[in-house]
């Protein structure tokens, strides 16, 4: 297994396409792919913690979109001690629930 990785690393280091740089493992990956995967993991972790802290998924059925704002404010107050920070609530909402936040923006809540 280790020998196969070394062979792959030797082959990939000669890749001269633009935007590709060797990573710690010696494999080559585009920067945009790394950033996209990193953002997905951040979104997944924040959303899991948010749902565990507020029981959002269980409570969400049959609620209005404004309920998301209430849960986000509660989460910001508990987690970050910033209940009235509109920018933090907006950023967290856009990170975890971009489509639902778009409907809130369209309805004029922000």
């Amino acid at each position: 297994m280790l020998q196969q990785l070394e062979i792959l690393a030797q082959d990939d280091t000669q890749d001269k396409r633009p935007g590709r740089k060797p990573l710690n493992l010696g494999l080559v990956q585009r920067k945009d792919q790394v950033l996209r995967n990193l953002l997905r993991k951040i979104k997944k972790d924040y959303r899991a913690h948010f749902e565990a802290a507020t029981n959002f998924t269980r409570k969400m059925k049959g609620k209005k979109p404004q309920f998301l704002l209430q849960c986000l404010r509660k989460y910001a107050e508990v987690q970050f001690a910033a209940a009235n920070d509109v920018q933090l609530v907006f950023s967290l909402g856009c990170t975890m629930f971009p489509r639902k936040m778009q409907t809130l923006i369209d309805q004029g809540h922000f």
Side-chain angles (χ1 to χ4, degrees):
M1 177 79 172
L2 185 59
Q3 293 173 346
Q4 292 173 348
L5 284 176
E6 289 175 358
I7 291 170
L8 286 174
Q10 290 173 356
D11 292 340
D12 288 342
T13 54
Q14 297 177 5
D15 193 4
K16 299 296 181 188
R17 290 180 282 182
R20 298 193 180 238
K21 295 181 180 178
L23 297 177
N24 295 342
L25 298 175
L27 302 174
V28 176
Q29 204 171 29
R30 290 190 346 233
K31 186 190 294 185
D32 63 323
Q33 290 176 339
V34 174
L35 293 175
R36 184 179 61 209
N37 289 335
L38 182 64
L39 287 174
R40 283 180 183 164
K41 289 179 182 179
I42 289 170
K43 176 182 176 179
K44 183 179 176 182
D45 288 342
Y46 267 114
R47 189 169 181 166
H49 191 266
F50 172 76
E51 290 175 355
T54 60
N55 294 326
F56 179 71
T57 53
R58 289 186 223 149
K59 293 179 182 178
M60 186 58 192
K61 291 183 180 179
K63 298 287 183 174
K64 295 182 179 180
Q66 288 179 330
F67 182 68
L68 173 63
L69 285 177
Q70 294 172 354
C71 289
L72 285 169
R73 286 186 189 114
K74 178 182 173 185
Y75 181 70
E77 181 180 344
V78 171
Q79 189 66 26
F80 301 104
N84 295 326
D85 191 358
V86 177
Q87 290 179 344
L88 177 64
V89 170
F90 182 76
S91 298
L92 286 172
C94 288
T95 301
M96 294 184 282
F97 306 100
R99 290 185 187 142
K100 291 179 184 177
M101 291 300 288
Q102 184 64 45
T103 59
L104 288 171
I105 291 169
D106 292 342
Q107 292 174 357
H109 295 290
F110 276 103

